[in-house]
Amino acid sequence: MTPNARHCLVVFSVLALAVAPGIGAAAGSTDVALDPTDQTVANGETTTFDVVVTNASGGVGAANITFSLANETADITQVTFSHNAAEVTTTYASDNSSATLTGYGLDTNQTGSVVVATVTVAGNATSAAETTVTPHVNALGDEDGNDYTVGEERSARLEVTTSSSGGGGDDGGDDSDGGGGSDDGGSGDTVSTTVTNLSLATTSVETGEDVEVAATVLNDGDVTTNATVNLTVDGSVRTMKTVSDLEPGNESTVVFLPAFQQAGTYNLSVGGKSATVTVTEPTTTTSDPVTTETPTETESQAPGFGVLPALVSLVALLGAARLRAH
């Protein structure tokens, strides 16, 4: 092969790589974490973890995540996306020790910390025990189809008890089911927790956006206890969270991050405290119409070819002609 022919082939290869679609496309780096990082659940009862993509840079459009338990003291009973998806597939191990959630066509918040799914776990222990829930990310992509590079996969700790704990129910007040404080031998100590305040970071969001809901839980009883509180939306339980080892007289703040796919007004309630959020459709912006000029004879192009692909084709033809000549 002559030097000129070799030169043409090199140029062709470089230009072909330059216009090849998808080469090097990436959505950036992120961690995937379970929130909260520590929960307590009674045997036979359930609790829920949020699955958080900590650093989204173009939303989350597709995911394939497997969740597993470290031992048999709990069961994974449900995995579900927090947003509508074009298609969803879930598979569960026969002993409920793991589950895989797969879906695409998600429409989430575009940047920052994004809740993409929830994992519901039930206590299944004959005595007090603990386990960990771990997310294993098989694939994660943004809404344009680019892959995220996943760094850390953060597990969460789950403590399983053999008796129910007092918790801030949806009716507020001094609800107590006798759990906790049982070691005091019925000495008169009471178990009581109350939600004293509920606040929203904003009262108006667009569809698909998270609403930060903060509830303050007070232990107004006499013993240290675990407080489980439910977030309800229009009267239906959306998710629950547990505050562990809350001492008498102390308060703790629990944060929920629900998202809504339909526009409307929703009533949110935690422990008898309520707030309202209004969800609207995203505002659309109209761009100036794009005008195109009809190519003149001196600017004519082959149909479907841009400048750079046409150049690639020309170089390829020249290279082939030189090879035949030599």
Side-chain angles (χ1 to χ4, degrees):
M1 182 183 298
T2 67
N4 287 337
R6 187 181 299 109
H7 175 73
C8 289
L9 289 177
V10 170
V11 172
F12 170 74
S13 301
V14 171
L15 291 177
L17 288 173
V19 299
I23 293 179
S29 300
T30 185
D31 295 339
V32 173
L34 297 184
D35 180 62
T37 58
D38 198 327
Q39 290 208 72
T40 299
V41 66
N43 185 38
E45 296 185 358
T46 62
T47 189
T48 302
F49 295 92
D50 289 333
V51 184
V52 182
V53 174
T54 63
N55 186 33
S57 56
V60 177
N64 179 285
I65 306 175
T66 299
F67 305 92
S68 62
L69 297 167
N71 53 47
E72 299 177 352
T73 60
D75 296 327
I76 297 177
T77 60
Q78 186 179 39
V79 290
T80 183
F81 285 111
S82 303
H83 306 266
N84 291 335
E87 185 168 332
V88 178
T89 301
T90 56
T91 57
Y92 298 84
S94 58
D95 59 355
N96 291 104
S97 62
S98 65
T100 298
L101 177 64
T102 306
Y104 67 86
L106 298 168
D107 183 10
T108 70
N109 290 358
Q110 296 301 295
T111 58
S113 179
V114 176
V115 177
V116 296
T118 59
V119 183
T120 302
V121 183
N124 182 25
T126 56
S127 60
E130 68 176 57
T131 187
T132 55
V133 187
T134 303
H136 306 277
V137 181
N138 306 309
L140 187 69
D142 67 9
E143 294 179 14
D144 292 328
N146 302 315
D147 292 333
Y148 281 104
T149 299
V150 178
E152 186 178 1
E153 299 167 327
R154 303 178 195 169
S155 303
R157 173 183 172 273
L158 179 68
E159 180 182 359
V160 182
T161 64
T162 55
S163 62
S164 300
S165 62
D170 292 329
D171 297 326
D174 297 330
D175 293 342
S176 173
D177 57 8
S182 58
D183 294 337
D184 297 315
S187 61
D189 291 337
T190 59
V191 177
S192 177
T193 58
T194 303
V195 175
T196 60
N197 184 62
L198 182 69
S199 63
L200 307 183
T202 179
T203 58
S204 179
V205 296
E206 295 182 349
T207 54
E209 290 184 340
D210 296 333
V211 182
E212 183 177 311
V213 183
T216 302
V217 183
L218 169 67
N219 183 350
D220 52 0
D222 301 317
V223 296
T224 299
T225 188
N226 302 319
T228 299
V229 291
N230 298 328
L231 168 68
T232 66
V233 178
D234 292 339
S236 299
V237 175
R238 178 71 171 264
T239 186
M240 64 178 66
K241 292 193 176 183
T242 300
V243 179
S244 301
D245 300 326
L246 188 60
E247 297 182 354
N250 286 358
E251 292 181 335
S252 181
T253 299
V254 177
V255 177
F256 300 90
L257 295 170
F260 302 90
Q261 302 305 314
Q262 302 294 330
T265 300
Y266 297 88
N267 183 63
L268 311 181
S269 177
V270 180
K273 300 294 182 181
S274 300
T276 300
V277 62
T278 300
V279 181
T280 59
E281 294 291 345
T283 56
T284 57
T285 58
T286 58
S287 57
D288 294 334
V290 178
T291 58
T292 58
E293 296 182 357
T294 303
T296 63
E297 292 185 1
T298 57
E299 297 172 334
S300 61
Q301 300 174 355
F305 282 80
V307 174
L308 192 54
L311 182 58
V312 171
S313 300
L314 179 60
V315 172
L317 291 173
L318 290 175
R322 291 175 179 264
L323 285 174
R324 286 195 300 267
H326 293 278

